[in-house]
Amino acid sequence: MGENIFTGIASGLSGLLDGAGVPVLWNDVILMVVKLVAILVFILVNALWLVYMERKVAAYVQCRIGPNRVGPKGLLQTAADIGKLLSKEFTWNKYWDIVPYILAPVLIFVPPFMIYAVLPFGENMAAIDMNIGLFYFAAVASLTSIILWAGGWASNNKYSLVGAMRVVAQMVSYELPLVLALLGVVMLTGTLNMSEIVYAQENVWFIFTQPLAFLIYFVAGLAETNRTPFCLVEGESEIIAGPYTEYSGMGFAMFFLTEYASVMLISAMCTVAFLGGWLAPFGLTFIPSWLWFFLKMYVMIFIFMWVRWTYPRLRVDQLMGFGWKVLIPLCLANIFVTGVGMYIYRAIGW
């Protein structure tokens, strides 16, 4: 199987270090660092590709061409943009609270990176196979809103402050239905371990047994990643760019790349929780498990992009009302129905 390539590399490196007389503790540390560096490279490369993919999807939806000049088929356009941002001067303003202003774009990439460390990209391909992986995801993902708020507040700009407050209101409102949607999956599997959740879908994927939870998760994921129609945080026609208004160069680029890393993360979690993770459909097990995982993840990413370039932005009151008055009651109803279904299932003895 294809995943044996990756697990074999890890085993080979571990054996090489053992043969060199490296202590067991340092062997584990070095192996973990190598895994995390590989994940970081994976995130950065995919984020660059997704910027290009988004432009092409947007162009297709709007009946135009998209990037087509820099490199073959415009493939180097994103690299050119990164070069431009790297060459831009980092400006200073005496009115900024400079410490949180500088730290915000540096730290914004940390929560997604921490979560990728526990994601199973294929069979036996999780850097850290954590027993409370789903809880860890919910806890760490919420840190993003604090960092965005700090960047907006430190900018000492009224548009940035309004955008930062929208971050707090929106993410707090939609983190709750996001987590409650996953609770139905936890009830069915009885575990928070992501690998065990995937194995529990060997007979049927949870998108078929938890369709309402899947839809709620998808909508809440759009809001969590600030994607249209929930892009109130950086509503350009209202508050310029929200908490990013005062950022330029690589400071802005870090926020920009983190958005795509978060889209990948939400799509990957959707793959794990509802689409069977790395499990092959129709018995097509000759295809490597990690390839199935990425195919499912990229289908979800495409749907994210499709929705963005199809629907208009909501108003703030509509955004908040939909989260609290529609999604959360639906989540509670789904949990109730799931509990009743499990009780009946066990009572009948199927």
Side-chain angles (χ1 to χ4, degrees):
M1 296 298 292
E3 60 269 15
N4 291 335
I5 298 173
F6 299 96
T7 55
I9 291 173
S11 300
L13 179 60
S14 179
L16 186 65
L17 292 172
D18 282 335
V22 177
V24 176
L25 176 60
W26 282 104
N27 188 331
D28 293 340
V29 170
I30 293 172
L31 195 60
M32 184 57 61
V33 169
V34 170
K35 290 179 180 179
L36 295 179
V37 169
I39 291 172
L40 180 60
V41 172
F42 165 80
I43 297 171
L44 294 176
V45 171
N46 276 267
L48 292 175
W49 162 253
L50 289 181
V51 174
Y52 173 80
M53 178 179 169
E54 175 113 64
R55 288 171 166 173
K56 283 296 187 180
V57 171
Y60 179 77
V61 172
Q62 298 171 353
C63 297
R64 55 188 178 85
I65 298 174
N68 66 336
R69 297 295 183 90
V70 185
K73 302 293 184 180
L75 283 169
L76 298 180
Q77 183 64 58
T78 305
D81 292 339
I82 292 296
K84 178 195 72 174
L85 291 170
L86 282 169
S87 65
K88 279 194 171 184
E89 180 184 1
F90 185 83
T91 56
W92 297 81
N93 189 317
K94 65 179 180 179
Y95 298 107
W96 294 339
D97 193 335
I98 200 63
V99 174
Y101 177 85
I102 294 175
L103 285 179
V106 175
L107 296 177
I108 192 65
F109 208 77
V110 174
F113 179 61
M114 291 172 64
I115 298 173
Y116 276 105
V118 302
L119 271 177
F121 293 99
E123 191 171 11
N124 301 319
M125 286 181 61
I128 304 172
D129 193 16
M130 191 178 291
N131 286 332
I132 55 169
L134 215 58
F135 176 79
Y136 176 84
F137 160 75
V140 176
S142 62
L143 297 176
T144 303
S145 57
I146 301 173
I147 299 169
L148 284 173
W149 180 86
W153 176 81
S155 298
N156 196 26
N157 179 300
K158 60 182 179 181
Y159 297 115
S160 298
L161 184 59
V162 171
M165 296 311 296
R166 285 186 178 185
V167 167
V168 176
Q170 178 172 322
M171 292 194 174
V172 167
S173 299
Y174 281 84
E175 277 169 7
L176 191 54
L178 187 78
V179 174
L180 290 177
L182 294 173
L183 190 56
V185 173
V186 176
M187 291 172 66
L188 291 176
T189 59
T191 180
L192 294 170
N193 184 289
M194 294 189 192
S195 296
E196 292 181 11
I197 289 173
V198 173
Y199 284 123
Q201 299 176 70
E202 286 182 327
N203 296 323
V204 59
W205 295 354
F206 288 146
I207 189 175
F208 300 112
T209 57
Q210 291 281 300
L212 181 59
F214 169 77
L215 290 175
I216 293 170
Y217 177 89
F218 176 74
V219 174
L222 285 171
E224 279 290 289
T225 53
N226 302 322
R227 305 282 293 183
T228 307
F230 303 103
C231 55
L232 275 299
V233 170
E234 51 179 299
E236 293 89 350
S237 60
E238 305 165 21
I239 51 176
I240 306 178
Y244 319 135
T245 300
E246 293 291 336
Y247 285 94
S248 63
M250 280 308 295
F252 176 79
M254 289 302 295
F255 287 115
F256 191 62
L257 290 176
T258 301
E259 177 183 327
Y260 287 97
S262 298
V263 169
M264 279 198 301
L265 180 59
I266 293 295
S267 300
M269 280 302 306
C270 184
T271 300
V272 169
F274 298 101
L275 301 179
W278 65 79
L279 297 177
F282 314 116
L284 301 175
T285 54
F286 62 91
I287 298 176
S289 64
W290 57 268
L291 187 54
W292 277 120
F293 185 90
F294 292 143
L295 284 173
K296 296 173 186 178
M297 184 181 77
Y298 265 90
V299 167
M300 290 303 305
I301 291 172
F302 173 76
I303 296 174
F304 269 78
M305 294 179 178
W306 186 6
V307 169
R308 175 177 181 177
W309 298 104
T310 304
Y311 293 99
R313 182 188 304 135
L314 299 176
R315 295 198 314 263
V316 175
D317 60 316
Q318 293 172 329
L319 172 81
M320 301 301 292
F322 183 70
W324 289 101
K325 298 178 182 179
V326 178
L327 289 188
I328 292 180
L330 285 176
C331 283
L332 298 176
N334 180 71
I335 292 170
F336 175 76
V337 171
T338 301
V340 171
M342 292 176 65
Y343 178 79
I344 294 174
Y345 181 87
R346 291 171 181 174
I348 294 176
W350 286 355

